[in-house]
Amino acid sequence: MLKFKTVVEYDGTNYHGWQFQPNAVTIQGEIEKALEKLFHTRIPVYGAGRTDSGVHAHGQVMHIVVSWNHPSENLKRALNTLLPDDICIKDVSEVRDDFHARHSAISKTYRYQIFNHRLRSPLKRLYSWQVSQKLDLDELQAASNILLGVHDFATFGTATSGTPSTTREIFEAKWHDGKGSPNLTFTISGSGFLRFMVRSLVGTLVRVGSCKISVQDFGAILESRDRSKSGPAAPSQGLSLVSVEYPK
Amino acid sequence: MLKFKTVVEYDGTNYHGWQFQPNAVTIQGEIEKALEKLFHTRIPVYGAGRTDSGVHAHGQVMHIVVSWNHPSENLKRALNTLLPDDICIKDVSEVRDDFHARHSAISKTYRYQIFNHRLRSPLKRLYSWQVSQKLDLDELQAASNILLGVHDFATFGTATSGTPSTTREIFEAKWHDGKGSPNLTFTISGSGFLRFMVRSLVGTLVRVGSCKISVQDFGAILESRDRSKSGPAAPSQGLSLVSVEYPK
């Protein structure tokens, strides 16, 4: 039996999130179905983390333990022929026995896309959040700088099962615009993320960017550790899990 | 009664093309449905041109003649609330009586997106064509340069109703890559386009880019005016009608 680390890209539009559910179509469920077809037995899939309903991934990571005597490239190809168009295995590589997609991860990077325009865009609707009010990029960035370092993020999410702490470290929180284009991108890397954390952060940051609250207010909201103080969560289709990082 | 020029963006994924069909969901059909709801009578829509099933538009143009006493901005807003998420009226402006979306057009610009990568991409699949063989951008551009100017394009498409000539003038035919990224973009502007012309051109150009035929072969194929010499049409989801140009 060999252990493989697997990188997965998916379009979350038509899925009830990553995590297997008996009565709903999920990414994990589809991958386990493909694995069962290939290996004629149930192969459990261990993801680096869950993504919510409608959230995408450029680089979700999972591990599997299987009996496979061919090159890992062939395993990738075999799985991709069995998977639907909106899920693709980008990379398969053999890893040591002690590798665990979730426990070994040292950081994760998410990206949130905003289409900052008064009109909705049919061609961007599946992968971004249309925000009508003009957002101030400097204000967005100033508030995001407060997130850097170690904080208790209880305002912005709920603890995931197994880890009651709501403290996480943020390494990067950066806004980009496409040279004056209405496409704003928020990239955030951290040691880990609470459930709903990125979307709640973005929902609250947009209140700063549209001058409804100040950067100082945002800092106070973070420090309050009061879930009810968070702005409404930004919608799922703007979010993508870009990558999961592991020690070299 | 006033005449309005209207710019429309749409995601063609779920439509049987632009043109109204009695038993299929089309963009024109949806817009006429919205107009009928708003005006309580059938309003005919005149498009600058048809787009095929699955083709997108960043800037299709149409005109309508309606009785409207409010600012044109309000007409835009009213229509957008009645249209589905994948169709959006981007602009409405009053025009002179002699304006015609199709007859007044002096050029059209199309864009074709290729994802040049060995693996399919779930997050790009709806708006690009994945081509596995590495394409040579210089070869693609050299062949495309042959298209500039006035040519008989009978190899690459069929005449549209009302205009039996297959001669068109091409003003621009330019390939871009995203600085070494696998995303290749082909932009082509011309006085007009035959049915299937852009997709047939791209399908044949890709044979040059993957070194199956030479730039000289491509020139000979264009000159042959023989429809059977064209490469297979590139798939519809990579194509978008970017804009339609009119005299100032």
Side-chain angles (χ1 to χ4, degrees), chain B residues 5-240:
Chain B
K5 174 190 168 203
T6 303
V7 182
V8 192
E9 176 179 329
Y10 50 82
D11 179 335
T13 307
N14 298 318
Y15 293 95
H16 290 266
W18 166 264
Q19 174 97 347
F20 176 79
Q21 293 177 45
N23 299 311
V25 185
T26 69
I27 323 284
Q28 185 183 357
E30 291 300 301
I31 294 173
E32 291 188 340
K33 230 189 320 184
L35 283 163
E36 187 160 353
K37 269 189 202 151
L38 188 60
F39 291 98
H40 306 290
T41 178
R42 218 192 139 262
I43 309 283
V45 154
Y46 299 89
R50 305 172 186 187
T51 54
D52 290 322
S53 192
V55 172
H56 315 293
H58 285 81
Q60 167 74 290
V61 174
M62 62 179 208
H63 76 258
I64 50 175
V65 178
V66 291
S67 164
W68 186 259
N69 303 316
H70 314 285
S72 57
E73 186 68 20
N74 297 21
L75 178 54
K76 177 172 95 174
R77 215 169 307 151
L79 281 173
N80 279 332
T81 60
L82 294 167
L83 284 167
D85 273 2
D86 48 9
I87 302 176
C88 179
I89 308 288
K90 287 167 84 173
D91 192 63
V92 173
S93 54
E94 202 189 325
V95 283
R96 285 171 26 170
D97 259 6
D98 60 356
F99 176 88
H100 190 288
R102 183 153 67 93
H103 302 143
S104 309
I106 48 172
S107 69
K108 283 182 192 159
T109 302
Y110 282 91
R111 194 186 295 148
Y112 198 95
Q113 307 257 34
I114 289 179
F115 180 60
N116 190 21
H117 199 279
R118 287 193 309 137
L119 269 179
R120 60 191 170 79
S121 166
L123 289 161
K124 294 184 188 293
R125 77 191 192 290
L126 298 177
Y127 309 111
S128 66
W129 176 28
Q130 180 228 337
V131 175
S132 299
Q133 312 98 296
K134 180 82 188 135
L135 299 178
D136 184 317
L137 206 72
D138 293 336
E139 291 288 298
L140 284 171
Q141 189 57 60
S144 301
N145 290 344
I146 297 175
L147 301 171
L148 298 175
V150 177
H151 299 277
D152 183 338
F153 287 100
T155 303
F156 298 108
T158 51
T160 46
S161 58
T163 45
S165 163
T166 48
T167 296
R168 298 289 186 276
E169 182 171 4
I170 299 300
F171 307 122
E172 190 196 2
K174 195 122 193 64
W175 287 87
H176 283 284
D177 63 350
K179 294 164 204 153
S181 91
N183 306 303
L184 304 184
T185 303
F186 178 54
T187 305
I188 184 162
S189 296
S191 60
F193 291 88
L194 306 173
R195 236 194 133 190
F196 303 121
M197 181 167 153
V198 183
R199 289 164 56 196
S200 296
L201 281 172
V202 171
T204 313
L205 286 166
V206 158
R207 305 200 71 206
V208 180
S210 55
C211 301
K212 290 206 182 69
I213 59 172
S214 69
V215 173
Q216 286 72 19
D217 293 338
F218 182 80
I221 287 169
L222 169 62
E223 279 174 34
S224 76
R225 289 170 240 172
D226 177 352
R227 190 78 184 91
S228 73
K229 293 274 201 308
S230 166
S236 57
Q237 81 276 2
L239 185 61
S240 176

